[in-house]
Amino acid sequence: MFSTKESLISDSNLAHQKVTSEAHNSLAVSDSPDERRLRTKIDLHIVPIVSILYLFAFIDRANIGNAKIAGLDKDLGMTGYDYNVIISTFYIGYIVFEVPAIVLCKWIGPGWFLPATSVLFGICSVGTAFVTTVPQACVVRFLLGIFEAGMMPGTTYYLSRWYRRSELTFRLSLYLVTAPLAGAFGGLLASGILRLSHFGGLTSWRMIFAIEGILTIGLSLVALLTLTDRPETARWLTVEEKTLAVARVRSERVTAQVLLDSMTMRKFFRGIANPVTLSVGIVFLFDAITVQAMAFFLPTVVKTIYPEYDTVQQQLYTAPPYVVGAFMVVFLSYLSWRTDRRQIFFILTAPVVMAGYIMFLASKEQRVRYGATFLVASSFTLGTLTNSQVSANVISDTSRSGAIAFNSMCAHLGGLVGTWAFLPWDGPHYPIGNGLNLATSGMILVISSLTLFWMNWDNRARDKRVAERGDADESLGLTQQEVEDLDWRHPAFRWKP
């Protein structure tokens, strides 16, 4: 299994220095026929693999919501806030290990890291099938959070090695769209699994965790054999294609002399301290409260809306809102790719989500409340747009890994809040949970608008300073390394809204 990747790296070792050297002095031709062919080739070799891995990562995370209405809470003897505590432990593990996970991902390479961590959280999912008490469930969910911590930031960071800034948003959508699809597919898969009488010695909700975990492990082992770490080690690219793949990404990174720089904490934290990273991280935190609450509580909400239906029918009713969310992810990300804009779509999405929560708060009629879930599902779009935005507004590979890790950590802080958004005594209409999410979507609108205004203002201020005193690299009086360490502080850098 491992010899395949070792030979892959060995075969390309001789070409590696030549590729990097040529890319150093090259400028990628903007969307030439050769570049379009290369982009399609990368799309076919990279995107399907990471998309499938993330699909099952989200299924393994969110299937506890499906298991709950299939009898998990009764079998484990849950009372009061036990369910909230169990799903909160996942986020504690996730948040604590988020930054270490992305550092490890960069150090060992995402081509190794992503499949390996997928195998581990698949094992945790299988382990959940055998828990018998609430504390046991907490331990397994904590471990699941540890091993899933690097999945989203690692995949975003990995794709940023292959794509231009404008292209990245749409490619991120093709893997992050699996989050809402996981909600739809997870509900359909859970309803299908529950039709089985048993799986080995397991029955009911235990089959959901076991079968979905085994599928995750199997797919991860396939990915371990096939996922390519970076363009220079891709056996499916010619030497000329490798040169172009490196050059076209490198050409957008002001002051960067190499595509994959060495890891330094200075540059890593420079990516985190970036003003756009901080603003976008707060936006993603607020958005994640909605997204994660929806993932964990939509089955419960559907059950309160349609209490007369059986469990399998209720599982099926969780799917359609996610399908709409998936469409919105791809549609808005495609528009973002073609316009090379991201911030404006933050602003456009927020009022749609707000309208959904206003419907929840204003009506107790079943069809209105179920219709509101379709509007709320548009919140999934910010997963793609925020990760793409922080990636577009740093320069070095190391700064990018820090920015993406911080953005993902913020999302899961929001997810932790989301686990407490819908409390047992607040049901069945959940005015507090829905009010909280209305407030967070309103804050997204305000913060995103102010950030867009600031980015445009600061770009004009940078233009003015350069025009007045001519801040070229030579006039900075710094070494090349010091110039690169400036990252977004460099006078030639401009924010990309």
Side-chain angles (χ1 to χ4, degrees):
M1 180 171 66
F2 293 96
S3 62
T4 303
K5 280 206 167 182
E6 288 170 356
S7 64
L8 181 152
I9 295 173
S10 176
D11 291 345
S12 62
N13 229 8
L14 294 176
H16 172 64
Q17 290 184 348
K18 178 183 176 183
V19 169
T20 305
S21 172
E22 292 175 357
H24 175 78
N25 297 311
S26 299
L27 286 177
V29 178
S30 179
D31 218 25
S32 65
D34 286 344
E35 188 170 353
R36 288 195 294 271
R37 283 192 292 270
L38 172 63
R39 188 171 60 221
T40 301
K41 198 171 186 179
I42 294 171
D43 287 342
L44 295 175
H45 281 83
I46 297 297
V47 175
I49 299 172
V50 296
S51 297
I52 291 172
L53 290 181
Y54 192 70
L55 171 71
F56 277 88
F58 204 88
I59 286 176
D60 288 344
R61 176 192 314 181
N63 56 12
I64 192 169
N66 301 105
K68 180 176 181 284
I69 67 172
L72 169 73
D73 52 349
K74 293 179 182 177
D75 289 350
L76 297 191
M78 291 186 196
T79 59
Y81 301 118
D82 283 348
Y83 180 66
N84 304 81
V85 171
I86 289 173
I87 56 180
S88 294
T89 56
F90 167 85
Y91 284 106
I92 294 171
Y94 206 121
I95 292 164
V96 170
F97 286 89
E98 190 96 54
V99 171
I102 196 67
V103 172
L104 186 62
C105 179
K106 179 174 171 60
W107 182 54
I108 69 175
W112 294 99
F113 176 83
L114 295 176
T117 199
S118 298
V119 169
L120 293 171
F121 65 67
I123 292 172
C124 289
S125 181
V126 174
T128 312
F130 298 94
V131 301
T132 57
T133 65
V134 169
Q136 289 175 359
C138 288
V139 170
V140 175
R141 293 291 295 184
F142 179 76
L143 293 174
L144 183 70
I146 291 175
F147 297 128
E148 278 199 24
M151 196 64 200
M152 183 171 74
T155 304
T156 302
Y157 162 67
Y158 178 48
L159 292 179
S160 73
R161 289 184 169 190
W162 296 84
Y163 292 104
R164 286 182 181 271
R165 181 187 67 239
S166 60
E167 300 165 351
L168 183 61
T169 304
F170 186 65
R171 273 69 195 180
L172 288 179
S173 78
L174 296 179
Y175 101 83
L176 286 172
V177 72
T178 58
L181 286 179
F185 180 61
L188 296 172
L189 183 59
S191 65
I193 290 172
L194 291 173
R195 293 180 186 274
L196 300 175
S197 60
H198 62 90
F199 177 70
L202 303 174
T203 59
S204 185
W205 58 269
R206 297 182 185 276
M207 297 188 297
I208 296 176
F209 291 112
I211 293 174
E212 292 176 357
I214 289 170
L215 288 173
T216 300
I217 295 169
L219 291 167
S220 302
L221 293 175
V222 173
L224 195 61
L225 295 172
T226 57
L227 207 58
T228 304
D229 199 56
R230 59 189 186 275
E232 300 97 309
T233 60
R235 287 194 300 179
W236 41 271
L237 293 178
T238 65
V239 172
E240 292 77 15
E241 288 172 333
K242 292 175 183 178
T243 302
L244 179 57
V246 172
R248 68 196 208 96
V249 176
R250 197 353 232 114
S251 67
E252 294 189 320
R253 301 185 182 180
V254 178
T255 77
Q257 297 297 302
V258 293
L259 186 60
L260 302 181
D261 58 331
S262 58
M263 184 74 175
T264 68
M265 287 297 102
R266 181 183 179 85
K267 281 190 283 189
F268 186 83
F269 286 106
R270 181 77 80 191
I272 295 175
N274 182 308
V276 171
T277 300
L278 297 173
S279 168
V280 171
I282 294 171
V283 166
F284 202 15
L285 186 154
F286 286 138
D287 179 67
I289 294 174
T290 294
V291 170
Q292 302 301 337
M294 184 172 180
F296 290 121
F297 293 101
L298 181 60
T300 301
V301 171
V302 169
K303 185 176 181 178
T304 63
I305 296 173
Y306 298 110
E308 70 276 14
Y309 293 168
D310 63 31
T311 300
V312 172
Q313 288 177 303
Q314 290 168 352
Q315 300 278 11
L316 292 173
Y317 264 83
T318 65
Y322 285 113
V323 174
V324 172
F327 169 78
M328 291 295 292
V329 169
V330 176
F331 176 65
L332 290 183
S333 296
Y334 180 80
L335 293 180
S336 174
W337 172 24
R338 291 309 182 187
T339 60
D340 195 16
R341 294 290 184 272
R342 292 150 295 277
Q343 196 75 22
I344 188 64
F345 295 106
F346 296 12
I347 297 168
L348 294 176
T349 301
V352 179
V353 179
M354 292 171 69
Y357 283 110
I358 289 171
M359 290 168 64
F360 268 123
L361 290 166
S363 176
K364 294 182 173 61
E365 206 278 319
Q366 289 182 342
R367 292 181 181 178
V368 173
R369 293 171 66 80
Y370 185 59
T373 64
F374 289 83
L375 298 179
V376 171
S378 64
S379 59
F380 279 97
T381 59
L382 290 188
T384 297
L385 294 167
T386 58
N387 278 293
S388 178
Q389 184 69 320
V390 298
S391 180
N393 283 283
V394 291
I395 296 177
S396 72
D397 185 73
T398 297
S399 294
R400 182 168 286 100
S401 67
I404 292 170
F406 177 80
N407 193 53
S408 183
M409 184 178 71
C410 286
H412 293 96
L413 283 169
L416 181 60
V417 175
T419 63
W420 294 90
F422 295 89
L423 299 171
W425 50 265
D426 195 30
H429 301 301
Y430 299 104
I432 293 177
N434 292 321
L436 170 66
N437 282 281
L438 175 60
T440 58
S441 54
M443 288 302 299
I444 289 173
L445 179 61
V446 172
I447 294 171
S448 299
S449 300
L450 291 175
T451 302
L452 179 59
F453 174 82
W454 178 83
M455 292 170 78
N456 290 327
W457 174 84
D458 195 56
N459 280 344
R460 289 192 296 269
R462 287 170 182 249
D463 289 340
K464 184 178 179 180
R465 285 194 296 270
V466 170
E468 288 175 350
R469 65 178 191 238
D471 281 330
D473 287 356
E474 298 78 27
S475 67
L476 291 171
L478 303 175
T479 66
Q480 177 58 40
Q481 183 60 54
E482 289 171 331
V483 169
E484 290 186 18
D485 285 346
L486 287 173
D487 206 80
W488 53 271
R489 291 178 177 270
H490 193 280
F493 178 80
R494 296 296 180 271
W495 304 110
K496 287 83 177 179

